[in-house]
Amino acid sequence: MCGIFACHNHPDVAKFKPTALKLSKAIRHRGPDWSGSVTCHNTILCHERLSIVGVESGAQPLTNADESIAVAANGEIYNHRLVRKHLKIPYHFKTTSDCEVIIPLYLEHGIDAPKYLDGMFSFVLYDKKQDRTIAARDPIGITTLYKGYNSQEPGTVYFASELKSLHPVCDKIEAFPPGHVFDSLTGETTRYFEPSWWDEKKCPQTPLDLKLLRETLEKSVRKRLMAEVPYGVLLSGGLDSSLVAAIAQRESLRLRKLAEEQAANSQEVDPEAQDKGEGLVGIDDDNKLSTVTFLPQLNSFSIGLPGSPDNKAALEVAKFLGTKHHVMTFTIEDGLNALSDVIYHLETYDVTTIRASTPMYLLSRKIKAMGIKMVLSGEGSDEIFGGYLYFHGAPNKEEFHEECVRRVKNLHLADCLRANKSTSAWGLEARVPFLDKEFLEVALNIDPQEKMITKERLEKYILRKAFDTKDQPEGAYLPDNILYRQKEQFSDGVGYGWIDALKDQAELQVTDEMMKNPKPEWGDDIPDTKEAYWYRCMFDEHFPPSCASTVMRWTPKWVKQTDPSGRAISIHQAKYDHVDE
């Protein structure tokens, strides 16, 4: 991940530049590898870079030949080789960065450029000739982006990857909506992402195709192995991360064999061929991955309290797959000590997000310390397939599907935010294969009756079945007891003592009297538990009230409970006898 800060139409941009650089520095943790800025007319773009693709040449902001267009981008464009190859107007690329394709796409398609990108991204582009700023965010909001305004500066618009860069200069801040593009010429933010599944009231009827489901996820993982730096996989031992790890390991073994075969035949790529995408990392027209990253073993990582369910299961998966696994244990004191920093980096006071983010935040620091800069993760699967335990209560397939689509649309305020900011706090990038556009198109158009949870079918049954191939030529992706392991929410799986400790600590920090007298500036957004109250107070220490409107509370449906933990739902199995001791 990288960090973006930009301001369009500032009343005195020359005077503002030192402040802009300082605000950009506030998110340098996202991109510790290089910093850059471009100032033109009344607009400034600042960028903090995490180099993963185009390491040697991809410093940002990126510009075209006459420097009339500049772009600051965050994320990964997985189809950049294909874009280069199929441009209608010849374009000479200055770098091998995947993000540079945004410029020629803008030249050809204007504000429709984001429609042609396959990846996770946020970008701000400035067109000097038109004095025009374009900003866009990926379809699901895997990357974070905010838009801000100052009431004393009408006509000025600010953009940043995190709130901490905006609140010192903005009195109104909003999350930039995923799948949308902003155009300063009109001042409007319009939706460019229009998939077939967007209307949650439209219940799909497409028959289940297990082979298509499996192959589409495999393709999604393959895209996300595009890198020029060491990478790994987050492996909780649950279904989603285990499947991603299994596919990544198969592809890594294939790449190792390919690297050995090609080692003797390496040669320089002609610059003109490079403009067409030849010799660059990424996928080609035949969906084959090319990468300069070759590691002896795929590294996998898990975290938990001593004896946690996740670490135990993750070890079993890693042994089965043959990954080089790293188990991190943390103490309750480690977690409690990190809470204020977690809330500062996550920029939220949502209970579920903070519970799950703390172990991920601690693990990310360890991963980065080992020299890993990118990891694959399993976010999104539970939303797509109705994997949360509360989906047991769905009354019919129509409501089941409606809730799935609603959850996917809100991922940018929940699990995507957690995955992005927990890892970016330490300059680590998380990629999420389940949220691939093509995979979503397949998975969210399956007749939801196939996803319904019954006595015979546990949650995410069709995903499990798609990878139950032990009797097929593909062989087993995972052991059966992992493939059919019941859902654990991450904050539960790291060890049940973690949530219990948070509740106990909140009891010490928040009195009954405080609960009866919430702060007036909270308005109607009143915490309903002492834990929630405690987090909100810590949030207020870091951020003004103007930032609170960007926070969404994660709550389950169809069940009566104040605690969002999966363990609080009656269907949950407290002990996993089928996970090896």
Side-chain angles (χ1 to χ4, degrees), residues 238-301:
L239 175 69
D240 310 325
S241 64
S242 297
L243 284 178
V244 169
I247 299 167
Q249 172 69 334
R250 289 182 177 217
E251 187 65 17
S252 295
L253 293 175
R254 187 194 70 79
L255 288 172
R256 179 195 296 183
K257 185 179 179 182
L258 189 66
E260 290 168 350
E261 292 172 354
Q262 293 179 343
N265 304 314
S266 60
Q267 54 187 6
E268 291 293 321
V269 179
D270 181 81
E272 288 189 14
Q274 207 169 71
D275 283 344
K276 295 290 186 181
E278 296 300 321
L280 304 183
V281 298
I283 57 167
D284 60 18
D285 278 329
D286 298 320
N287 189 34
K288 293 290 192 299
L289 173 71
S290 174
T291 181
V292 298
T293 308
F294 168 61
L295 304 173
Q297 274 183 291
L298 180 66
N299 286 267
S300 56
F301 304 89

Side-chain angles (χ1 to χ4, degrees), residues 231-237 241-242 244-246 248-249 295 297-303 311 313-328 363 367 370 372 374-376:
Y231 59 81
V233 291
L234 299 182
L235 180 58
S236 71
S241 64
S242 297
V244 169
Q249 172 69 334
L295 304 173
Q297 274 183 291
L298 180 66
N299 286 267
S300 56
F301 304 89
S302 65
I303 186 170
N311 272 347
L315 274 169
E316 182 182 353
V317 176
K319 184 178 179 181
F320 179 85
L321 297 178
T323 63
K324 184 174 178 58
H325 191 64
H326 310 271
V327 174
M328 181 192 169
L363 179 60
I367 293 171
M370 292 178 60
I372 302 288
M374 181 272 283
V375 289
L376 301 188

